[in-house]
């Protein structure tokens, strides 16, 4: 393979050769177990039987504490809408790299690879559009992709509604009302990310998306059937088996901080596939930049911080080390070990 679109191989060719021993790290060849994430039928929330409703809420909150990840069925986003969104997404990524990178599509939000990577373990073999919700309805963002706009508007609205519902359930479980999510979260900082992971026949150790946690309240993922998502469970990596009818939900750093560690923001990554490309769409529920994130109770594990402060610190860590440190930097002194180095 001498070429790729986007030019991932071209960009990282020198690092591939100079860091080849890291690519062959034995730790990356550990047998990965396949897991079935907790599967929750959200129709239980509207059941006439209060016992069923409570069981559904308990399943959501229990999975958020034990796994930090779960799947939802009957989530309100029709298979037809998902299929239309996927079709438009594929058409978008099929245009040549030069056009994606230069034509300003979707608020000029096209990104590819990992520009700050200094070693193979920091590579992300992928490309994406990061679209703020405030720009989803902006006609100027779509250029020739007129049909994408209507689908994106409908899809973003449905994901936003689902995120608000799940967020309110999780805060209510800890004794706070729906207003917590409503008051903190801001359409101006929430966004959709359209992901494309090209096939990568170079090495199975190259990641589509490097190990990380999400810097938001919660994330909802709509993925295809190729698979590749892995998460950390009981100190080992497990691979998530795709479910055609389900969406994946995971807890973000901010909800872990707000819940004082009750809900878990879990490390996850995407592995590449040698022969098949992969598509996914993620919705990120975020607060306004000046929102103060503090624990719902005292004593708190984490000190209070704003979303802006948190994002700035994450970006600074990535700039300096290539890795996100995240919440450990905001631990209250004496309540945990501060991580000051990179996450290996």
């Amino acid at each position: 393979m001498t070429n790729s679109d986007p030019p991932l191989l071209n960009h990282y060719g020198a690092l591939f050769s100079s860091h080849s021993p890291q690519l062959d790290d034995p730790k990356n060849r550990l047998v990965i177990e396949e897991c079935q994430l907790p599967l929750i039928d959200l129709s239980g929330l509207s059941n006439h039987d209060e016992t069923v409703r409570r069981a559904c809420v308990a399943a959501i909150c229990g999975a958020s504490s034990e796994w930090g990840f779960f799947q939802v069925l009957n989530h309100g986003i029709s298979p037809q809408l998902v299929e239309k969104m996927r079709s438009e997404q594929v058409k978008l990524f099929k245009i040549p790299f030069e056009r994606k990178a230069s034509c300003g599509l979707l608020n000029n939000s096209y990104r590819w690879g990992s520009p700050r990577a200094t070693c193979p373990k920091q590579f992300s073999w992928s490309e994406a559009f990061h679209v703020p919700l405030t720009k989803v309805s902006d006609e100027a963002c779509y250029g020739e992709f007129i049909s994408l706009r209507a689908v994106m508007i409908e899809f973003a609205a449905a994901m936003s509604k689902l995120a608000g519902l799940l967020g309110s359930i999780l805060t209510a479980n800890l004794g706070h009302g729906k207003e917590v999510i409503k008051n903190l979260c801001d359409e101006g900082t929430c966004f959709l990310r359209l992901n494309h992971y090209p096939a990568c026949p170079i090495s199975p150790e190259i990641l589509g998306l490097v190990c990380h946690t999400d810097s938001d309240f919660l994330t909802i993922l709509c993925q295809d059937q190729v698979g590749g998502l892995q998460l950390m469970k009981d100190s080992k990596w497990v691979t998530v088996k795709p479910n055609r009818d389900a969406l994946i939900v995971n807890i973000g750093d901010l909800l872990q901080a707000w819940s004082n560690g009750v809900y878990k923001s879990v490390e996850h990554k995407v592995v590449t596939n040698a022969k098949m490309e992969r598509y996914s769409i993620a919705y990120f529920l975020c607060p306004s930049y000046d929102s103060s994130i503090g624990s719902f109770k005292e004593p708190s594990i984490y000190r209070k911080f704003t979303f802006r402060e948190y994002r700035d610190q994450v970006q600074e860590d990535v700039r300096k080390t290539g890795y996100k440190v995240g919440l450990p930097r905001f631990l209250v002194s004496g309540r945990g070990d501060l991580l000051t180095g990179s996450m290996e």
Side-chain angles (χ1 to χ4, degrees):
M1 183 179 182
T2 58
N3 247 317
S4 61
D5 185 356
L8 296 161
L9 180 58
N10 312 51
H11 189 70
Y12 296 127
L15 284 174
F16 283 141
S17 57
S18 62
H19 290 80
S20 56
Q22 289 191 27
L23 279 176
D24 198 34
D25 188 339
K27 291 185 294 184
N28 292 329
R29 299 198 301 270
L30 294 175
V31 175
I32 305 295
E33 295 180 10
E34 188 174 69
C35 75
Q36 181 71 48
L37 289 178
L39 186 62
I40 302 169
D41 185 346
L42 295 186
S43 66
L45 295 173
S46 56
N47 194 286
H48 68 278
D49 188 335
E50 183 179 358
T51 303
V52 175
R53 295 197 302 271
R54 287 187 175 183
C56 187
V57 168
I60 292 169
C61 298
S64 299
S65 297
E66 182 182 351
W67 283 80
F69 271 80
F70 56 94
Q71 299 177 101
V72 291
L73 297 172
N74 292 311
H75 39 66
I77 302 173
S78 71
Q80 294 79 17
L81 177 56
V82 170
E83 183 57 37
K84 284 193 295 183
M85 186 67 234
R86 180 76 69 240
S87 176
E88 293 290 342
Q89 180 183 12
V90 170
K91 286 192 292 184
L92 179 66
F93 280 109
K94 289 299 183 185
I95 65 174
F97 167 73
E98 290 76 12
R99 288 184 59 203
K100 285 180 286 192
S102 62
C103 67
L105 277 169
L106 297 178
N107 196 43
N108 196 32
S109 64
Y110 179 69
R111 303 290 184 268
W112 64 280
S114 304
R116 297 190 180 98
T118 59
C119 68
K121 289 190 293 184
Q122 297 171 2
F123 293 170
S124 287
W125 190 272
S126 57
E127 57 180 338
F129 287 91
H130 300 244
V131 190
L133 287 198
T134 52
K135 294 294 184 179
V136 166
S137 61
D138 187 349
E139 291 184 29
C141 289
Y142 291 89
E144 68 193 77
F145 293 90
I146 300 171
S147 58
L148 173 61
R149 178 174 177 267
V151 180
M152 282 272 283
I153 290 173
E154 185 180 0
F155 189 83
M159 294 286 262
S160 182
K161 181 179 179 181
L162 177 59
L165 171 65
L166 295 171
S168 66
I169 287 171
L170 290 166
T171 55
N173 179 59
L174 299 180
H176 290 255
K178 297 179 180 179
E179 70 278 358
V180 172
I181 293 296
K182 184 177 180 181
N183 292 341
L184 284 175
C185 291
D186 186 346
E187 189 176 275
T189 52
C190 297
F191 65 97
L192 282 175
R193 187 171 70 202
L194 281 61
N195 302 305
H196 174 225
Y197 301 91
C200 179
I202 307 302
S203 169
E205 281 78 40
I206 298 173
L207 295 175
L209 191 60
V210 297
C211 174
H212 67 287
T213 56
D214 289 349
S215 303
D216 62 352
F217 272 108
L218 60 82
T219 306
I220 303 175
L221 181 71
C222 177
Q223 65 169 349
D224 62 18
Q225 298 304 295
V226 173
L229 176 64
Q230 295 182 352
L231 60 94
M232 186 64 71
K233 174 63 173 168
D234 298 329
S235 300
K236 61 183 178 183
W237 288 106
V238 295
T239 188
V240 177
K241 183 179 180 180
N243 184 321
R244 188 178 302 277
D245 300 316
L247 298 177
I248 294 175
V249 182
N250 67 277
I251 303 302
D253 296 343
L254 304 185
L255 193 49
Q256 176 171 317
W258 182 86
S259 71
N260 212 28
V262 173
Y263 304 133
K264 303 298 189 296
S265 180
V266 173
E267 288 182 318
H268 53 285
K269 62 184 179 181
V270 176
V271 298
T272 52
N273 188 297
K275 297 181 179 180
M276 300 179 69
E277 60 186 345
R278 176 180 183 263
Y279 291 92
S280 70
I281 308 166
Y283 175 93
F284 296 87
L285 180 65
C286 301
S288 64
Y289 283 118
D290 295 322
S291 292
S292 178
I293 309 300
S295 170
F296 79 103
K297 70 174 184 179
E298 296 293 341
S300 176
I301 299 172
Y302 305 99
R303 66 173 177 82
K304 287 187 177 181
F305 54 88
T306 65
F307 184 40
R308 186 186 308 278
E309 180 184 5
Y310 189 71
R311 288 293 298 271
D312 288 348
Q313 182 63 63
V314 167
Q315 291 170 7
E316 179 68 9
D317 287 338
V318 172
R319 185 185 68 80
K320 288 182 176 179
T321 70
Y323 292 99
K324 170 187 171 183
V325 176
L327 278 180
R329 286 213 184 276
F330 294 85
L331 284 165
V332 172
S333 179
R335 297 191 63 83
D337 295 326
L338 280 173
L339 289 182
T340 55
S342 63
M343 293 175 64
E344 294 287 330

